[in-house]
Amino acid sequence: MAGSAHLIDRRLNGGNKSATNRQRFIRRYKEQLKRAVGDMVDKRSITDIDGGGEVNLPGRDISEPSFRHGPGGNRETVHPGNREFSPGDTIRRPQGGGGGAGGEAGEGESTDAFVFTLSREEFLNIFFDDLELPHLVRNYLGAVQQKKMVRAGYVVEGSPTNLSVPRTMKSSLGRRVALSAPIRRELEAATAALGQARARPADAAEIERLEAQVAEIEARLKRVPFLDDLDLRYRHRVFMPQPVARAVMFCLMDVSASMDERKKDVAKRFFTLLYLFLSRKYEKVEIVFVRHTDNAEEVDENAFFHDPKSGGTVVLSALELMHDIQVERFPAGQWNVYAAQASDGDAFGSDAAKSARFLGEKIVPVCRHFAYVEIPDGQDARQSSLWVEYDMLTATAPNFAMRRVCGRDEIYPVFHELFKKETA
């Protein structure tokens, strides 16, 4: 029977190795991590929603079949004892059928104690992995250009980092072939003459002269340099302007008195996800925050999320302000225009019909995508007048979508549905 071998791995566990192992684990259990990350959204505050953290994964989801050697045959094993037990003692079965790996007696499913800690980058990567802005088009090539390095052949001067070894060796080989060809022909002639002289046989002086001639030609052949400065070739790259996809996202939030704290919390969480999604996925995205009561105003990020202002409700004011800003600062020919609106749909009188008409005529035609999120009083709440009017647009405007969100746990599924990646 062959003897056993012991392998001792003394390699240092550097940071790169750990990172590689983490990425391998995340790739393998991506679906399980996505579900766990989605469950974390409704349990976090708005300020902490983008942080990393620990996620619990059910042990059964990450278990894999494996082969292992069983004990087999008769074995004799010695286990360390303690003060309570002596050799030959028996252990009673736990009462109630418990025992095992961390479980307790009772009914229902539980989550096994496997915890994986995600960094902020890993959390956001998993969270927004398969989301994108719909119908984004690279349509702008103007003053603000995105440049990309492209190859532009080879040059004879450059930095050592750009040295092309294959192209340099190819140039060296060509030069050596060109320079040594006449010398090789002379060497072949001199070697033939030396062979004929030795075959005749000639006198010693002539053979010595021919040998000296062959040696001199061989020395000339060796003086052809293997590598010369003329052989060096460097990779050449130049900047080429690239069209960029510029996008603007309008965030419209109803902060009227009918939007209580629960509704505002849901709306702010939706816009927080939207803000993180845009800032994470795109570099050229402008975000315009518009809040409205009976009057609409453009505000900064801090006022949008934290200012407690409230009042009446006129939805049309927000849509008109958005339209004015879009026409003045974000022409549809140069910008991909997106918008998301959150409201409880509480509109008075003809405001709902006017808003839907203005939305259909002025805003939807210039938008790549417009998402309306309504936050009702509850699951059984009746459809609002704004919902009914907006619903008429869904039949004729494929770039318009509307969903209802009643609680925190519904935000991520709705957000994922509105901005899921388009399939080819």
Side-chain angles (χ1 to χ4, degrees):
M1 181 177 180
S4 61
H6 298 277
L7 301 178
I8 300 176
D9 188 355
R10 297 186 184 279
R11 293 175 297 181
L12 297 177
N13 185 14
N16 292 333
K17 180 182 178 183
S18 178
T20 303
N21 292 336
R22 290 182 65 84
Q23 292 301 319
R24 186 182 298 115
F25 180 86
I26 291 175
R27 284 197 305 271
R28 181 173 299 176
Y29 303 110
K30 196 170 187 178
E31 292 303 320
Q32 292 85 342
L33 288 171
K34 283 178 70 67
R35 287 198 298 269
V37 167
D39 294 339
M40 294 169 65
V41 175
D42 59 336
K43 301 175 183 177
R44 291 188 166 192
S45 65
I46 292 178
T47 55
D48 297 332
I49 202 169
D50 64 333
E54 296 180 345
V55 293
N56 292 315
L57 299 179
R60 61 181 179 277
D61 287 353
I62 61 173
S63 60
E64 294 182 347
S66 61
F67 293 98
R68 62 182 180 183
H69 294 288
N74 297 325
R75 296 187 308 136
E76 183 174 349
T77 307
V78 177
H79 296 284
N82 53 40
R83 296 178 180 177
E84 298 180 2
F85 300 99
S86 300
D89 289 346
T90 57
I91 302 176
R92 291 183 299 176
R93 182 186 298 275
Q95 298 296 324
E104 295 182 355
E107 296 180 350
E109 297 182 352
S110 63
T111 301
D112 295 339
F114 180 83
V115 178
F116 185 73
T117 302
L118 292 173
S119 66
R120 182 178 184 274
E121 294 296 317
E122 292 168 343
F123 177 86
L124 294 177
N125 282 337
I126 294 174
F127 199 75
F128 300 121
D129 176 60
D130 53 353
L131 301 180
E132 69 177 7
L133 286 177
H135 316 300
L136 190 68
V137 177
R138 296 181 180 273
N139 59 354
Y140 183 71
L141 185 60
V144 182
Q145 294 179 351
Q146 184 178 5
K147 294 183 178 180
K148 180 182 179 182
M149 291 285 288
V150 296
R151 290 185 176 181
Y154 299 89
V155 294
V156 296
E157 294 181 350
S159 62
T161 55
N162 290 329
L163 179 67
S164 173
V165 175
R167 184 54 65 103
T168 298
M169 298 310 298
K170 186 176 181 180
S171 177
S172 170
L173 178 61
R175 177 186 53 77
R176 282 183 282 125
V177 169
L179 292 179
S180 61
I183 303 176
R184 291 184 184 278
R185 286 195 293 270
E186 291 183 29
L187 180 61
E188 291 176 358
T191 303
L194 177 61
Q196 293 174 0
R198 286 173 176 170
R200 282 200 296 268
D203 55 8
E206 183 179 359
I207 292 177
E208 184 178 357
R209 181 183 61 79
L210 291 174
E211 288 177 345
Q213 184 180 3
V214 170
E216 189 273 334
I217 296 174
E218 289 178 342
R220 286 170 52 200
L221 187 61
K222 291 180 180 178
R223 284 198 294 270
V224 176
F226 179 79
L227 189 65
D228 193 89
D229 290 343
L230 298 175
D231 303 329
L232 299 181
R233 296 293 184 271
Y234 298 88
R235 290 182 291 271
H236 186 48
R237 292 184 174 88
V238 297
F239 283 104
M240 291 290 290
Q242 299 290 320
V244 297
R246 300 200 307 179
V248 56
M249 173 62 78
F250 288 90
C251 299
L252 313 177
M253 182 167 65
D254 181 2
V255 294
S256 62
S258 60
M259 292 281 288
D260 55 23
E261 288 303 317
R262 181 190 66 83
K263 295 178 181 177
K264 287 182 180 178
D265 180 72
V266 172
K268 290 177 181 178
R269 285 175 178 274
F270 177 82
F271 284 117
T272 301
L273 287 183
L274 181 60
Y275 177 76
L276 291 174
F277 166 60
L278 296 175
S279 59
R280 178 73 182 173
K281 301 280 284 190
Y282 303 97
E283 295 181 355
K284 302 292 183 182
V285 175
E286 295 285 339
I287 303 177
V288 179
F289 295 104
V290 176
R291 66 176 183 179
H292 74 91
T293 54
D294 48 357
N295 293 313
E297 59 180 339
E298 181 183 1
V299 296
D300 58 15
E301 175 188 341
N302 183 60
F304 187 80
F305 285 105
H306 304 294
D307 194 334
K309 179 181 178 180
S310 185
T313 307
V314 178
V315 179
L316 182 61
S317 62
L319 299 178
E320 290 177 337
L321 178 59
M322 172 193 163
H323 178 65
D324 295 341
I325 296 174
Q326 182 267 317
V327 171
E328 181 181 353
R329 290 154 46 186
F330 306 101
Q334 300 179 5
W335 290 81
N336 293 276
V337 181
Y338 296 88
Q341 179 185 8
S343 171
D344 61 352
D346 186 12
F348 293 101
S350 61
D351 181 43
K354 291 181 180 178
S355 299
R357 189 180 313 115
F358 188 85
L359 183 66
E361 295 176 355
K362 300 291 186 180
I363 296 180
V364 169
V366 300
C367 278
R368 298 285 182 196
H369 190 69
F370 190 103
Y372 172 65
V373 176
E374 184 163 299
I375 310 166
D377 294 329
Q379 292 286 358
D380 300 329
R382 62 178 179 82
Q383 293 182 343
S384 68
S385 57
L386 190 63
W387 178 276
V388 173
E389 295 291 342
Y390 274 12
D391 193 33
M392 299 179 185
L393 295 174
T394 56
T396 58
N399 57 335
F400 176 77
M402 52 194 298
R403 298 290 186 277
R404 300 182 85 188
V405 179
C406 295
R408 291 180 175 183
D409 56 338
E410 299 177 12
I411 295 177
Y412 180 68
V414 170
F415 185 85
H416 189 274
E417 184 181 0
L418 290 175
F419 297 100
K420 64 183 177 182
K421 187 175 294 185
E422 297 172 313
T423 56

